[in-house]
Amino acid sequence: MMKNGELTFVLGGAKSGKSEFAEGLYSRDQHICYIATGVVKNPDGEMQLRIKRHQARRPANWETAEQYREVDQLIAQHPLDGYLLDDAIMLVTNLFYDTVLTRTTPGKIDDYLTAVSARELAQLREQIMASWQQILKVQAAQRQSMVIVSDEVGLGVVPATKQTRVLRDLYGEVNQLIAQHADNVYFVVSGIPQKIK
């Protein structure tokens, strides 16, 4: 059972069981807000099916907030027994594309990222990191318990495109930031959680 103000970080690979484990950290009778960051902007049958499976697992009394922006404001203005944010990677991905697609088109993202200055790339990184720093700051100030789920990245090959390399680096930096602030960190492998902090 999560304690007031406790921050727990749950990492794992795709289909590792990390979300199910994270959900089990709260009791089914607690008043929890499930922050679903996998907001579907374009119809995608596979993603919609994944979302439906996640929704079916949640207790009926849990609230769901489908958002990736202003998560800090949600926590500050909506005190509950706790929050479960699933997941950090989708939040980063959505913020990244919200910014990049104001500057280029979907088919030209690699060209844009190759041509952009190191300073502009650093500003994009700082903007995303600042969003996370604010979430963590508000969570600590409000003394709300929170579980954050994320994918572990970087265990495989180096991504082939500039876009995926930039995103991989952002994911890794965000994961490190959350882990530094977390009271507990779990790594889930094949449904088996290992506490690493």
Side-chain angles (χ1 to χ4, degrees), residues 71-77 133-144:
V71 171
D72 57 322
Q73 293 179 32
L74 174 71
I75 297 166
Q77 297 169 4
Q133 287 162 348
Q134 188 61 22
I135 290 168
L136 296 169
K137 178 182 175 183
V138 169
Q139 181 271 330
Q142 294 291 317
R143 301 295 300 153
Q144 298 291 300

Side-chain angles (χ1 to χ4, degrees), residues 8-9 17 48-49 81 83 96 99 104 107 116 125 130 135 168:
T8 296
F9 190 34
Q48 288 175 334
L49 185 60
D81 293 333
Y83 301 84
F96 173 83
T99 301
T104 189
V116 75
R125 175 202 165 273
I135 290 168
R168 179 209 48 189

Side-chain angles (χ1 to χ4, degrees), residues 68-69 88-100 103 120-136 166-167 169-175 177-178:
Y68 59 91
R69 290 190 168 280
I89 295 299
M90 284 303 300
L91 192 149
V92 171
T93 303
N94 285 328
L95 291 178
F96 173 83
Y97 285 116
D98 278 0
T99 301
V100 169
R103 302 171 185 174
E120 286 177 281
L121 210 50
Q123 287 172 339
L124 174 60
R125 175 202 165 273
E126 287 163 14
Q127 179 184 335
I128 290 170
M129 295 302 286
S131 295
W132 271 105
Q133 287 162 348
Q134 188 61 22
I135 290 168
L136 296 169
V166 168
L167 278 167
D169 292 351
L170 279 168
Y171 299 153
E173 286 188 69
V174 166
N175 282 349
L177 176 69
I178 298 167

